[in-house]
Every structure is written in structure tokens, then in C-alpha cells.
């Protein structure tokens, strides 16, 4: 089955700087790559997703890039704000199942 | 409002006492799934269902049962809970067309289970 690795496990950034989280996946047939944000004590919520026929997608301060050849995709958050502090999960869909990475704790330091 | 509803939010029980965590969605989604979340391990899939009466094991199905008698409901059953099942559980649903899950997962608010 699909295996998703997520790095780094913890990331601290100064407010206003950019944050980048990288994920790799193992199944070359995977074609859907969502990112979820989980604030403390809350449920994961989708923040952005990308399909395999697209290389990059942006939504205001967040963007996702996909490199199918290398089987990795990244989340980019620009101009980070304190409310961006959360755990971020990447996922990859293969065989009708979403496999999640272990999560990345992002801490934005005011 | 479109949502996935789990109950209860918190549950403390003792080893061996059967329990059920309910999950219901009002979005007419075909696909439903259960995950458990443990520190450092992320979200691990327990069971999933592609449609009514169709269920499959995820990555960590041992000790759990599910059923999908109706499209909207997908209860998680622990026949004989053990302390290693202490965890945060999430139910999620999604729509799909044909054989492809093509829309985002919508998560419930979670159930924090403690087994003593």
C-alpha cells in the first residue's frame, strides 16, 4: 500500500517568514494529494489539495507543489501568522484509500 | 449544515466492556472511514466503507468492528476494549464517482477514548 513520509516533524518559524513542509510517497499510481490542518483539540480540516495532472496550486498564502517524477510534494506557507500554528498532515490517495503522513507541528513565533 | 457527527466526544471505560462509537453524515457520501490518532503516529486508518454493506480493513483493524447498514451511519464497535485502544478517534466521509475517491475527506469532531 501507499506509504507517506513527512519531514520535518517540527518546524518553528518567525512570524512573517515562510514555512515549507515536504512529503514523499511510494505509490506512483497515487493521483490525489491533500493537506490537512489540525488546530489543537480540533478535527483535521482540508486547506489545499492537488491532483496529479497539476504541478502547482495556490490559495492566498498557501501553495502546494507536486513532483511526480521524484514522488514528493510540498506545502508552502508564506507570511506566516500566529494562527498558522497547528499540526499539518499530508496525504496521498492510492487504491481508494488516503494514506496520511505522521504530521508536522508548525510553531509560528510572534 | 453539512457535517459528520460523532458520539460521544469523550468516553472512559474499563477493559473488556463492549462499546460503540457512532458516526453519522448528512452529505449522502458513499465513502466513510475510521481513523485513530496517536502522538507521533499520525492518522491511521482502522476500517473504511465504499458503500452500504461494503466494508474493508485499513491499516490497524485488530480489535475493531464496523457495520454499514445505512448510507449515513458507520458505527465503530470495540467488542472487548483494551488499554492499547486508548486513543483519539475520527470518523470521516467523502464522495466518490465510480472507483475513484475524488473529493476531500470531511472529519467529525473526534472521540477521545480512555480504556483503563
Amino acid at each position: 500500500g501507499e506509504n507517506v513520509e513527512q519531514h520535518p516533524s517540527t518546524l518553528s518559524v518567525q512570524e512573517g517568514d515562510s514555512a515549507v513542509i515536504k512529503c514523499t510517497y511510494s505509490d506512483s499510481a497515487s493521483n490525489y494529494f491533500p493537506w490537512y490542518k489540525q488546530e489543537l483539540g480540533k478535527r483535521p480540516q482540508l486547506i489545499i489539495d492537488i491532483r496529479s495532472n497539476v504541478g502547482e496550486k495556490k490559495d492566498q498564502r498557501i501553495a502546494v507543489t507536486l513532483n511526480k517524477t521524484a514522488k514528493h510534494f510540498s506545502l508552502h506557507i508564506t507570511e506566516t501568522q500566529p494562527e498558522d500554528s497547528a499540526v499539518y498532515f499530508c496525504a496521498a490517495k492510492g487504491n481508494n484509500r488516503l494514506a496520511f503522513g505522521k504530521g508536522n507541528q508548525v510553531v509560528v513565533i510572534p | 449544515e453539512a457535517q459528520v457527527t460523532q458520539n460521544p466526544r469523550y468516553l472512559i471505560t474499563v477493559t473488556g466492556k463492549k462499546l460503540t462509537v457512532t458516526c453519522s453524515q448528512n452529505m449522502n457520501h458513499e465513502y466513510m472511514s475510521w481513523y485513530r490518532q496517536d502522538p507521533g503516529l499520525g492518522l491511521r486508518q482502522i476500517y473504511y466503507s465504499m458503500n452500504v454493506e461494503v466494508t474493508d480493513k485499513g491499516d490497524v483493524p485488530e480489535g475493531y468492528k464496523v457495520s454499514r447498514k445505512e448510507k449515513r451511519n458507520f458505527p465503530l464497535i470495540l467488542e472487548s476494549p483494551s488499554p492499547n485502544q486508548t486513543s483519539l478517534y475520527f470518523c470521516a466521509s467523502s464522495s466518490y464517482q465510480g472507483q475513484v475517491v475524488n473529493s476531500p475527506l470531511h472529519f467529525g469532531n473526534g472521540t477521545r477514548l480512555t480504556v483503563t
Side-chain angles (χ1 to χ4, degrees):
Chain A
E2 176 64 271
N3 182 45
V4 178
E5 299 284 339
Q6 191 167 348
H7 304 280
S9 59
T10 304
L11 178 63
S12 296
V13 295
Q14 289 292 138
E15 182 177 356
D17 287 351
S18 295
V20 181
I21 306 168
K22 298 179 181 178
C23 285
T24 59
Y25 61 99
S26 61
D27 186 354
S28 57
S30 289
N31 58 7
Y32 175 63
F33 307 91
W35 285 89
Y36 287 82
K37 175 183 180 182
Q38 186 180 30
E39 297 176 1
L40 188 63
K42 296 190 176 181
R43 60 184 171 178
Q45 290 193 293
L46 180 78
I47 54 171
I48 195 167
D49 57 10
I50 192 168
R51 300 189 186 277
S52 57
N53 58 347
V54 176
E56 182 177 358
K57 184 176 178 181
K58 286 184 180 180
D59 183 2
Q60 299 181 343
R61 295 187 298 107
I62 60 173
V64 57
T65 58
L66 171 65
N67 184 325
K68 287 174 57 181
T69 303
K71 289 191 283 188
H72 68 70
F73 55 114
S74 300
L75 178 71
H76 305 253
I77 307 173
T78 58
E79 300 172 23
T80 52
Q81 300 168 5
E83 54 264 37
D84 294 328
S85 294
V87 176
Y88 292 81
F89 291 98
C90 63
K93 183 187 75 65
N95 294 325
N96 286 321
R97 293 175 54 203
L98 269 179
F100 285 86
K102 288 183 166 60
N104 179 294
Q105 176 76 57
V106 173
V107 178
V108 180
I109 303 166
Chain B
E1 180 189 352
Q3 59 186 1
V4 178
T5 304
Q6 287 179 237
N7 280 297
R9 290 293 308 277
Y10 302 93
L11 180 58
I12 301 173
T13 189
V14 296
T15 299
K17 185 176 182 182
K18 181 180 178 180
L19 66 91
T20 299
V21 183
T22 63
C23 175
S24 180
Q25 50 93 5
N26 64 359
M27 295 168 279
N28 202 35
H29 283 165
E30 295 87 357
Y31 183 91
M32 297 186 75
S33 182
W34 277 101
Y35 294 86
R36 61 179 286 175
Q37 184 176 16
D38 302 289
L41 297 178
L43 291 159
R44 294 182 293 167
Q45 191 175 44
I46 304 170
Y47 269 95
Y48 66 99
S49 169
M50 298 292 281
N51 215 323
V52 176
E53 301 292 359
V54 180
T55 62
D56 277 298
K57 295 178 180 179
D59 300 312
V60 287
E62 295 77 19
Y64 305 94
K65 286 175 57 178
V66 292
S67 68
R68 189 88 182 275
K69 295 186 172 68
E70 304 164 289
K71 196 172 187 179
R72 63 182 294 125
N73 296 324
F74 191 46
L76 179 70
I77 303 154
L78 285 72
E79 294 270 4
S80 183
S82 62
N84 64 11
Q85 292 178 298
T86 293
S87 187
L88 177 60
Y89 291 86
F90 286 101
C91 180
S93 72
S94 178
S95 67
Y96 79 94
Q97 295 176 346
Q99 296 299 311
V100 180
V101 177
N102 71 343
S103 73
L105 278 177
H106 297 259
F107 285 87
N109 283 325
T111 295
R112 188 166 291 282
L113 172 66
T114 302
V115 183
T116 61

